């Protein structure tokens, strides 16, 4: 059994009230086929100027065969003008010059091999809302349930259910107390069957953790 409004197979999952398809909103894993990018079901991106190449729009420095990956969980919501800068964007910084000579002459890559090996993955958890114009920096580890404010520049480790804003991004507050966050992380509702998620939408909207626990049981 599935929910009619939760169809992970749809590239364009949203219609306006008049029935018009919103072509500016896409399920990312239905429009991106990239060996270095992994995106969970129901995660969407929205743009007022939708591109032909969503991977290039969101993560332009992530090239096929790069030494790092971009991993995004399920049910994330990515607003317009978000940019995810992965580790291959970095220039070598251990030497005297940061000029990337090797990209113009690949025979010189060996001069930098220790600096471009083992680059960190960028990982975004589940049910993360990334606001308009935010930038995610290389190697960021963003927990589940996080809200990232518009225009924020976020790197490092962001705990589950944090609200992050500013440049540099900093945790403004946690959305719930520690005990509630632990209960939510134990539930991991984003992995439930879609029929159960459909029954849970009222509880999710009201932050009714007890009702979610009843559904899980």
């Amino acid at each position: 059994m599935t929910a009619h409004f939760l169809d992970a197979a749809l590239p364009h999952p949203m219609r306006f009230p008049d029935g018009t398809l919103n072509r500016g909103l896409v399920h990312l894993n239905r429009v991106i086929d990239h060996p270095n990018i992994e995106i969970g079901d129901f995660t969407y991106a929205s743009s007022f100027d939708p591109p032909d190449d969503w991977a290039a729009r969101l993560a332009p420095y992530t090239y096929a065969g790069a030494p790092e990956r971009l991993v995004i969980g399920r049910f994330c919501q990515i607003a317009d003008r978000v940019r995810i800068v992965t580790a291959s964007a970095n220039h070598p910084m251990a030497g005297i010059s940061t000029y990337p000579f090797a990209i113009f002459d690949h025979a010189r890559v060996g001069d930098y091999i220790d600096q471009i090996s083992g680059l960190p993955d960028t990982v975004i958890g589940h049910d993360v809302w990334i606001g308009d114009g935010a930038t995610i920096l290389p190697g960021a580890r963003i927990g589940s349930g996080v809200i990232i404010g518009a225009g924020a520049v976020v790197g490092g480790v962001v705990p589950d259910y944090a609200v992050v804003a500013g440049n540099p991004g900093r945790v403004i507050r946690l959305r719930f107390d520690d005990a509630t966050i632990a209960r939510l992380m134990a539930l991991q509702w984003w992995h439930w069957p879609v029929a159960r998620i459909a029954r849970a939408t009222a509880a999710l909207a009201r932050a009714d953790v007890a009702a979610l626990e009843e559904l899980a049981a």
Side-chain angles (χ1 to χ4, degrees):
M1 179 180 179
T2 60
H4 72 280
F5 69 101
L6 291 174
D7 187 346
L10 293 176
H12 301 281
M14 178 199 162
R15 291 183 181 272
F16 294 109
D18 66 0
T20 304
L21 192 66
N22 181 1
R23 295 192 174 276
L25 188 148
V26 296
H27 276 152
L28 284 173
N29 64 4
R30 297 298 165 181
V31 298
I32 289 178
D33 181 13
H34 192 293
N36 292 71
I37 299 177
E38 176 185 333
I39 302 171
D41 283 345
F42 302 104
T43 284
Y44 72 76
S46 179
S47 176
F48 298 110
D49 177 29
D52 293 328
D53 187 340
W54 279 92
R57 171 69 62 85
L58 285 174
Y61 298 100
T62 307
Y63 60 90
E68 82 279 3
R69 297 185 308 147
L70 169 61
V71 180
I72 305 175
R74 292 163 62 93
F75 288 97
C76 292
Q77 315 111 58
I78 301 176
D80 196 23
R81 300 187 304 132
V82 167
R83 179 65 56 89
I84 301 172
V85 182
T86 51
S88 285
N90 285 333
H91 289 215
M93 294 178 282
I96 293 171
S97 174
T98 59
Y99 194 84
F101 295 102
I103 70 170
F104 305 105
D105 179 1
H106 295 169
R108 300 177 189 274
V109 168
D111 296 339
Y112 305 98
I113 197 67
D114 58 332
Q115 298 182 53
I116 61 175
S117 300
L119 296 180
D121 294 341
T122 299
V123 180
I124 298 170
H126 306 281
D127 191 24
V128 174
W129 173 22
I130 306 178
D132 190 285
T135 300
I136 309 301
L137 297 178
R141 299 278 169 153
I142 297 169
S144 294
V146 168
I147 296 173
I148 296 175
V153 179
V154 181
V157 178
V158 178
D160 298 317
Y161 288 95
V163 178
V164 182
N167 180 8
R170 62 186 182 90
V171 175
I172 304 299
R173 61 180 175 87
L174 295 178
R175 296 176 59 196
F176 307 103
D177 60 57
D178 290 343
T180 301
I181 291 172
R183 292 165 69 192
L184 290 169
M185 294 305 296
L187 285 167
Q188 297 190 38
W189 67 264
W190 40 80
H191 289 310
W192 290 359
V194 292
R196 188 190 302 170
I197 294 172
R199 295 196 300 272
T201 56
L204 289 166
R206 296 194 306 263
D208 189 341
V209 182
L212 290 178
E213 288 169 334
E214 288 181 10
L215 283 167

